[in-house]
Amino acid sequence: MDRFLCTNCGFINIDNSTCICTNCSTEIDTKSYSELMTYAGRASKYGYKYRTEYENQVAEFGEVRTQYSLLDPTTYYEWLAAAALSGMVGTVAYDLVKFVAQQIYKQITAKNTVLTESDKSILDLISDNDELIKFSNYIRQYYKGNAKIPKKALNAILKEELVHSLLDNHKGEFNETIKQINIDEDKPLDVKKEFSHLLLQASKSAGRKRKEKPKLEELKKSLKKLKKEIKKTRKEKKKRKK
């Protein structure tokens, strides 16, 4: 791990293989960090990217016309989502996201190379204040499970989760079933049963994945130092206004 977001002060460490933040000297628990980022990636993918895409289609056409296989979110999205999740309790979620977004912006724009499509995508997000607020809200709604999503868009998202679960967790069984179809085409009923079984297992796996999320107590402790600094800055601003 040579690039990571410090889960205490929110500083993005680059070319740092020590797992100790160069800004605040906090040692990162790699297991907890990996679990947080894995969930942040899922929240970015299903809670924001797919949701936004399918909600837009339903708003424009009244239905989901095209099912996409979107690229997995980059590390930048994971860091932003982790910041939003860290603000599940309290009123500083957007401030946390904004702090991380500013660092990402500086990193990307400082590059001496041509920007990739992934770079352009994340820059579009963090350069749009309204969209960044939306991102922060969508990530937290995904965690809480209380997002108000149009039914057609929600069904499309659940379908994506099911397909990814099938390919990620049951790929061997899926390939074996396809092989059986090619070998023996005279057993359609058996194949249907096998596919039904596979889909049921994939659905259960997807359901378990949705439940595998950081505990609220862990999120409260995440970015603790940064939260204190944000609250301190807010108080100072209020004093100056008086």
Side-chain angles (χ1 to χ4, degrees):
M1 186 170 74
D2 62 350
R3 297 198 316 158
F4 61 91
L5 173 74
C6 177
T7 49
N8 185 35
C9 71
F11 180 75
I12 294 177
N13 287 257
I14 304 295
D15 297 326
N16 180 356
S17 59
T18 67
C19 294
I20 297 175
C21 178
T22 56
N23 184 57
C24 70
S25 300
T26 296
E27 185 172 0
I28 304 301
D29 182 328
T30 54
K31 183 177 181 295
S32 297
Y33 183 85
S34 177
E35 290 173 353
L36 173 61
M37 291 304 157
T38 296
Y39 183 79
R42 288 207 307 273
S44 298
K45 188 173 187 175
Y46 302 114
Y48 174 72
K49 291 180 77 69
Y50 274 116
R51 178 181 173 182
T52 300
E53 181 58 50
Y54 293 142
E55 280 184 332
N56 289 343
Q57 285 193 42
V58 171
E60 184 174 358
F61 307 115
E63 61 182 356
V64 174
R65 291 188 175 181
T66 308
Q67 292 276 156
Y68 290 98
S69 181
L70 299 176
L71 294 175
D72 285 340
T74 61
T75 304
Y76 292 135
Y77 277 95
E78 290 178 1
W79 288 341
L80 289 173
L85 290 166
S86 297
M88 286 298 302
V89 178
T91 59
V92 296
Y94 178 68
D95 298 87
L96 298 174
V97 172
K98 192 70 176 178
F99 180 83
V100 174
Q102 287 169 347
Q103 293 181 78
I104 292 172
Y105 182 85
K106 289 176 182 177
Q107 281 191 20
I108 294 177
T109 54
K111 288 182 179 180
N112 293 320
T113 57
V114 178
L115 296 181
T116 65
E117 288 304 314
S118 294
D119 289 338
K120 292 175 183 176
S121 172
I122 196 71
L123 282 178
D124 285 342
L125 170 61
I126 62 183
S127 299
D128 185 332
N129 192 57
D130 290 338
E131 193 64 25
L132 200 56
I133 292 173
K134 177 178 170 181
F135 174 87
S136 179
N137 290 336
Y138 276 22
I139 295 300
R140 288 183 293 149
Q141 287 171 12
Y142 181 82
Y143 181 90
K144 292 178 180 178
N146 64 354
K148 295 179 180 178
I149 306 173
K151 189 174 181 180
K152 291 179 180 178
L154 178 60
N155 288 340
I157 296 168
L158 293 175
K159 189 182 293 184
E160 294 292 348
E161 290 193 59
L162 178 61
V163 170
H164 284 107
S165 175
L166 180 64
L167 297 178
D168 292 342
N169 304 303
H170 307 278
K171 192 172 183 178
E173 299 165 76
F174 178 76
N175 289 337
E176 188 60 34
T177 303
I178 295 297
K179 192 185 295 183
Q180 287 181 29
I181 294 175
N182 294 331
I183 294 173
D184 191 350
E185 298 179 353
D186 297 327
K187 295 183 178 180
L189 290 178
D190 290 342
V191 170
K192 283 183 180 179
K193 286 181 181 178
E194 289 180 33
F195 263 120
S196 295
H197 174 72
L198 269 179
L199 289 174
L200 178 60
Q201 294 305 309
S203 178
K204 289 180 179 179
S205 296
R208 284 194 296 270
K209 280 284 184 184
R210 281 193 292 273
K211 293 178 181 178
E212 291 173 2
K213 56 187 179 182
K215 293 180 180 178
L216 204 55
E217 284 302 314
E218 295 172 355
L219 296 177
K220 283 182 183 179
K221 296 175 184 176
S222 183
L223 298 181
K224 195 172 184 179
K225 187 175 188 297
L226 178 57
K227 288 173 183 174
K228 285 182 179 179
E229 291 175 354
I230 288 172
K231 289 175 182 177
K232 182 181 177 182
T233 301
R234 283 185 177 181
K235 286 182 180 178
E236 289 174 350
K237 284 183 178 179
K238 285 183 179 179
K239 285 182 180 179
R240 285 198 296 270
K241 285 182 179 179
K242 291 179 181 178

